[in-house]
Amino acid sequence: MAKTTIPRAVVPSTPARKPSERWLRIAKTRQNAKSGVLLPCGRMVPMNDTHQNPLFAALNPAQQEALHRLNGPVMIVAGAGSGKTRVLTHRIAHLIATGVPPETILGITFTNKAAREMRDRVRALLFGNLAPSAREPLLATFHSLGVRILREFAPQAGLPRSFSIYDRADSLKIVKDSLRELGAEKQWEPRALLSAISRAKGDATTLSAYRDRAATPFEEIVVRVWERYENALQRTNALDFDDLLSRTLLLVESQTEIQQILQERWRYIHVDEFQDTNAVQYRLLRLLVGKEQNICVVGDVDQNIYSWRGASIRFMLNFESDFPGAAQIILEENYRSTQTIVAAANELISRNRNRIPKVSHSTNEEGSPVRLYAAYDEHDEAAFVARTIRERLQEGVASREIAVLYRANFQSRVLEEALLRVGVPYKVVGTRFFERKEVKDILSYARAALNPQSTADIARIANTPPRGIGKATLAALLAEREHTLAARARNAVASLRRDLKAVAAVLATEPASHAIRHIMELTGYLRMLEASKSEEDKERAENLKELVSLAAEYDHHAPPAGIEEMLAQAALESDQDTLRDNHEGVALMTVHAAKGLEFAEVFVVGLEEGLFPSYAGLNDASRDEEEERRLMYVAMTRAQKQLWLSWAQSRMLFGNRSVQAPSSFLSEIDPSYLEPVQAEEEAREPLRVIYLDE
DNA sequence: TCACTGGACGTTTTT
DNA sequence: CGTCCAGTGA
Ligand SMILES: Nc1ncnc2c1ncn2[C@@H]1O[C@H](COP(=O)(O)OP(=O)(O)OP(=O)(O)O)[C@@H](O)[C@H]1O
């Protein structure tokens, strides 16, 4: 395997504004075709000099290996906090530094936030504060990559120029409607049907293949709903999340020319969090990798936590046979956490049988023990968290350095109440801005105007604000039977049409933020909110103003591309995206949402049998004890310095107070790493009375 | 058409 | 215990 690439054009793509801004510059002499690094002092060092090239100096020897092996397939396998993401970032920067054209590099991340961060890091590593150049690597999630490809090749993919992306709520609504049409809404759970459909799509199973092997009554109803679901999507020019991947796969699979274009476009492909890749993503990936086989994936099988939606570690296990000659790089040093945290997490995960044992150690300080709190109930637990955080803030820890992690979203409520009570600022990650009703409404106007087939959007906004369009009128409108309506209803429909026409005109001519403002005004939506006396509506009006400033980020696109881009972003926004880079406040989130993040101090709450590990889906095949343990491993390894674990002896579940047993995971951590925290006396007494009352 | 209300039902995790 | 939604009456 070649250790040095053959650089092509190595002339710096963007002229430096000021010499000081560009601390690292690509230079090359024509004679030897070898590149070097120009240090700020003006001295030139060879590109591969592991001592002087700053990109190498920031990595340990094992990590550097990934920068030496730029060609051919590479898989980096390593535990939490071992610098996998850091290596990817440096590798991409290094590729560019050696003269690989940036736009031939593709990096796939798990969330948009991760993509954005990687983009910032690569820029910082290469150009200091230089303005973004047109020539940049593409850093995106599989889903946004799909949108990009499908937009570019819309005709070949059999898609209209402007298609809508349906989020889970949109999809669920179609499933519900389909079930109702089938008269089966009482017998089946819409969510179960949607996840069956989604799961099949993610496994690259087509409807007809699924139909052929459907045997159980459940599978039969899935088929019947899926047929209707697919019809509805097609009718409304819409794609769901899974389609963004599967339609892209279909396109690239069936059209060799397109495959070739894409293979030539991205000659260096990277995938982060590879352990959570599903079948469709993997097949797409294999098709995108060109003859040179320049693919670099990083992952940790112990952090596979999305198997319930089709992600599988088998692609990691098969990597070497699918990509012959693949180099494997193993990273063993954890840079993130204290020795105590690393040891405790390793011990826990070693209980899993279905894994490949690996070494992971830390040369960081030993650190303090993991603190364990046994609460009386969920209120006591939340009070403990709030009180401890307040103390830590007083001791000088920044609030953004602290996270509280839980298994299920409903657990955030008590925590919020407790934090509010003691005045600790916090941010619940996962309450997505774009899922707020008022935001969805305004965006629905845009979607309906851009894509007149989008009946879901039309239904959503037809009577918001009230125009006098009720159920009957709406049905007639959607069936294009307006002429059968009474005059009053016809007028109402005419007013809706006028609004949509006006919105369409505005979208075609105005930049994104102006367009959004116009929508709010010309539809009377903002007026409706401002006329209301309720606090909630006041807040909604505020959110809409926020939406306008968000839209301004898309103003540089020519209309209507700005809005289209924003709509795609809105649909693809991840939970993590609600955490702004410079956010204030303690982060509250599910363990799933914390994947890939790190915090100085971490609380993991609700460590009770049935909750974490969760017993939900007990009858399902989806329940997986080992995945729950991996989830716990992910949770623990988010912490850099201090980890707190807690559980409650009693908890309100489904409106019933239930007696809880401590999580089995707690007994899987050696007691020598743990230190119990005593309850505060005054906190204990009144709560004990409540407890005994039961 | 729309506002209100009682009852059913839920909590796994999400791009 | 809350939330959401379907069904009711005005
Ligand atoms: N060689 C190194 N020198 C100093 N710090 C490092 C080094 N490698 C990694 N780190 C730091 O360790 C932390 C973890 O790195 P990173 O997030 O890249 O790990 P990861 O393997 O992707 O983690 P996870 O799998 O848990 O998401 C980061 O703060 C990173 O900056």
Side-chain angles (χ1 to χ4, degrees):
Chain A
M1 177 157 314
K3 282 219 168 159
T4 38
T5 49
I6 314 302
R8 305 199 301 175
V10 211
V11 182
S13 54
T14 338
R17 304 258 161 99
K18 280 184 277 162
S20 62
E21 273 181 352
R22 174 168 268 191
W23 59 269
L24 186 145
R25 185 198 266 169
I26 303 113
K28 177 195 161 199
T29 52
R30 245 190 245 134
Q31 298 92 312
N32 61 9
K34 256 213 156 151
S35 46
V37 180
L38 184 65
L39 296 178
C41 60
R43 211 157 59 83
M44 183 79 126
V45 299
M47 193 59 85
N48 274 354
D49 185 319
T50 56
H51 297 291
Q52 309 232 33
N53 180 335
L55 289 175
F56 279 87
L59 302 174
N60 72 28
Q63 294 173 328
Q64 288 172 6
E65 194 57 26
L67 273 65
H68 287 304
R69 297 183 180 274
L70 296 177
N71 292 307
V74 177
M75 176 162 70
I76 302 173
V77 186
S82 54
K84 296 185 295 296
T85 305
R86 182 186 177 105
V87 168
L88 270 194
T89 310
H90 283 70
R91 189 178 196 266
I92 290 171
H94 182 58
L95 278 166
I96 298 171
T98 56
V100 171
E103 66 277 12
T104 66
I105 300 170
L106 172 64
I108 295 173
T109 57
F110 199 71
T111 63
N112 292 306
K113 177 169 189 274
R116 199 166 48 233
E117 276 172 6
M118 200 174 277
R119 188 172 308 125
D120 293 345
R121 298 298 301 281
V122 170
R123 271 184 204 162
L125 287 172
L126 286 175
F127 307 119
N129 299 322
L130 225 113
S133 108
R135 301 183 62 200
E136 290 220 306
L138 178 60
L139 299 169
T141 63
F142 270 114
H143 289 87
S144 44
L145 178 69
V147 173
R148 226 185 152 89
I149 295 175
L150 291 175
R151 281 239 183 90
E152 182 175 346
F153 300 102
Q156 295 95 322
L159 293 170
R161 196 172 27 80
S162 179
F163 53 85
S164 306
I165 300 167
Y166 277 6
D167 65 14
R168 209 182 108 85
D170 298 325
S171 297
L172 201 60
K173 181 153 191 319
I174 307 179
V175 169
K176 279 184 187 160
D177 292 346
S178 309
L179 264 179
R180 194 170 310 126
E181 284 170 33
L182 291 166
E185 76 264 40
K186 288 280 177 305
Q187 301 143 57
W188 303 99
E189 179 66 50
R191 298 168 27 146
L193 291 167
L194 179 59
S195 57
I197 295 171
S198 170
R199 186 64 192 269
K201 285 187 174 187
D203 287 341
T205 307
T206 61
L207 172 52
S208 62
Y210 191 95
R211 192 189 288 118
D212 291 344
R213 41 136 259 248
T216 66
F218 177 74
E219 286 165 347
E220 312 253 320
I221 190 76
V222 168
V223 170
R224 301 185 62 199
V225 170
W226 191 350
E227 287 163 348
R228 278 158 194 272
Y229 178 81
E230 218 52 53
N231 271 332
L233 286 176
Q234 187 143 47
R235 216 175 33 241
T236 60
N237 285 337
L239 299 182
D240 68 11
F241 282 143
D242 302 299
D243 291 337
L244 297 179
L245 306 171
S246 58
R247 295 293 293 265
T248 309
L249 175 64
L250 190 68
L251 174 78
V252 178
E253 216 165 34
S254 60
Q255 313 228 8
T256 327
E257 324 80 72
I258 293 178
Q259 181 187 9
Q260 203 165 349
I261 292 171
L262 296 177
Q263 282 190 353
E264 281 163 19
R265 179 178 302 170
W266 296 305
R267 298 181 42 238
Y268 292 86
I269 299 181
H270 302 79
V271 186
D272 200 1
E273 307 279 12
F274 187 57
Q275 76 281 350
D276 276 318
T277 300
N278 75 19
V280 171
Q281 293 168 334
Y282 185 68
R283 280 173 59 176
L284 178 60
L285 188 66
R286 291 198 66 179
L287 293 174
L288 291 180
V289 174
K291 280 189 286 296
E292 297 151 301
Q293 300 274 292
N294 294 331
I295 169 150
C296 174
V297 301
V298 312
D300 175 5
V301 293
D302 291 331
Q303 294 189 65
N304 165 243
I305 55 175
Y306 283 95
S307 73
W308 49 273
R309 71 177 203 209
S312 168
I313 61 166
R314 69 176 186 274
F315 310 118
M316 263 188 103
L317 302 180
N318 294 342
F319 190 81
E320 288 187 279
S321 55
D322 284 349
F323 293 96
Q328 201 180 107
I329 297 174
I330 295 170
L331 309 179
E332 301 189 330
E333 179 155 1
N334 180 312
Y335 285 91
R336 178 182 294 140
S337 312
T338 63
Q339 291 186 18
T340 304
I341 293 168
V342 171
N346 282 343
E347 196 194 357
L348 176 107
I349 199 64
S350 72
R351 304 272 177 150
N352 273 4
R353 299 190 51 89
N354 183 18
R355 72 186 283 264
I356 306 156
K358 62 173 180 281
V359 182
S360 171
H361 54 80
S362 165
T363 55
N364 292 336
E365 53 179 6
E366 187 187 344
S368 36
V370 177
R371 305 244 149 78
L372 175 64
Y373 184 74
Y376 287 91
D377 62 10
E378 73 273 24
H379 297 287
D380 182 31
E381 180 182 54
F384 159 73
V385 170
R387 157 176 17 110
T388 311
I389 290 178
R390 195 186 47 194
E391 282 165 21
R392 301 301 293 137
L393 297 183
Q394 280 160 3
E395 285 161 23
V397 179
S399 63
R400 56 132 68 100
E401 291 286 311
I402 302 177
V404 186
L405 309 182
Y406 36 80
R407 178 66 239 268
N409 282 306
F410 75 90
Q411 294 174 262
S412 69
R413 201 192 179 93
V414 246
L415 291 164
E416 283 192 72
E417 286 166 5
L419 291 171
L420 220 47
R421 204 169 297 134
V422 300
V424 168
Y426 66 88
K427 177 113 184 72
V428 183
V429 180
T431 44
R432 298 178 200 181
F433 182 72
F434 287 114
E435 275 171 14
R436 290 169 192 274
K437 183 185 181 301
E438 61 280 16
V439 175
K440 286 204 85 169
D441 285 346
I442 293 301
L443 295 185
S444 271
Y445 272 101
R447 295 210 303 191
L450 287 169
N451 172 10
Q453 306 307 312
S454 190
T455 49
D457 291 303
I458 293 171
R460 177 172 191 102
I461 46 118
N463 207 34
T464 337
R467 285 190 184 83
I469 299 180
K471 216 166 121 193
T473 313
L474 179 64
L477 157 68
L478 293 180
E480 295 180 356
R481 299 234 168 286
E482 288 160 55
H483 52 276
T484 64
L485 290 169
R488 192 150 61 109
R490 248 201 328 260
N491 278 338
V493 172
S495 121
L496 172 67
R497 292 234 185 271
R498 245 190 335 269
D499 281 357
L500 282 177
K501 222 172 149 189
V503 171
V506 156
L507 288 180
T509 54
E510 299 284 316
S513 66
H514 294 204
I516 293 289
R517 171 162 291 286
H518 279 307
I519 295 175
M520 287 159 41
E521 284 165 3
L522 71 86
T523 59
Y525 201 99
L526 194 60
R527 227 173 310 128
M528 171 183 78
L529 291 181
E530 283 171 348
S532 159
K533 280 192 280 288
S534 86
E535 268 312 303
E536 202 186 351
D537 285 342
K538 294 240 153 44
E539 199 183 315
R540 291 199 161 137
E542 283 307 309
N543 286 334
L544 288 187
K545 286 178 188 143
E546 171 72 23
L547 180 64
V548 173
S549 32
L550 254 165
E553 289 177 29
Y554 302 89
D555 280 352
H556 61 276
H557 291 96
I563 289 284
E564 282 176 346
E565 190 57 27
M566 178 160 142
L567 289 173
Q569 292 278 342
L572 298 177
E573 185 191 46
S574 77
D575 274 350
Q576 284 187 8
D577 293 317
T578 61
L579 256 198
R580 292 310 250 168
D581 314 336
N582 51 357
H583 74 280
E584 262 289 333
V586 174
L588 267 54
M589 68 187 114
T590 64
V591 182
H592 281 93
K595 177 187 169 90
L597 305 179
E598 61 187 8
F599 298 89
E601 317 212 345
V602 169
F603 293 78
V604 185
V605 302
L607 286 162
E608 296 139 38
E609 276 306 291
L611 183 58
F612 197 178
S614 168
Y615 288 172
L618 196 58
N619 333 311
D620 281 345
S622 70
R623 192 195 162 216
D624 184 345
E625 169 92 35
E626 297 210 342
E627 179 143 325
E628 294 291 320
R629 195 175 282 105
R630 291 193 292 271
L631 203 49
M632 180 66 181
Y633 173 75
V634 170
M636 294 173 75
T637 55
R638 296 311 94 198
Q640 296 170 307
K641 297 229 150 64
Q642 178 67 58
L643 179 62
W644 279 274
L645 307 176
S646 66
W647 66 284
Q649 297 166 28
S650 147
R651 180 179 298 272
M652 194 66 106
L653 296 168
F654 305 97
N656 288 321
R657 188 144 290 279
S658 115
V659 174
Q660 301 287 97
S663 169
S664 52
F665 295 155
L666 291 173
S667 55
E668 294 175 6
I669 301 169
D670 191 298
S672 67
Y673 301 124
L674 295 172
E675 185 182 286
V677 181
Q678 294 308 316
E680 275 192 352
E681 280 310 312
E682 73 268 33
R684 173 187 299 204
E685 287 314 320
L687 286 158
R688 175 180 288 167
V689 174
I690 293 165
Y691 184 59
L692 292 175
D693 270 356
E694 297 283 325

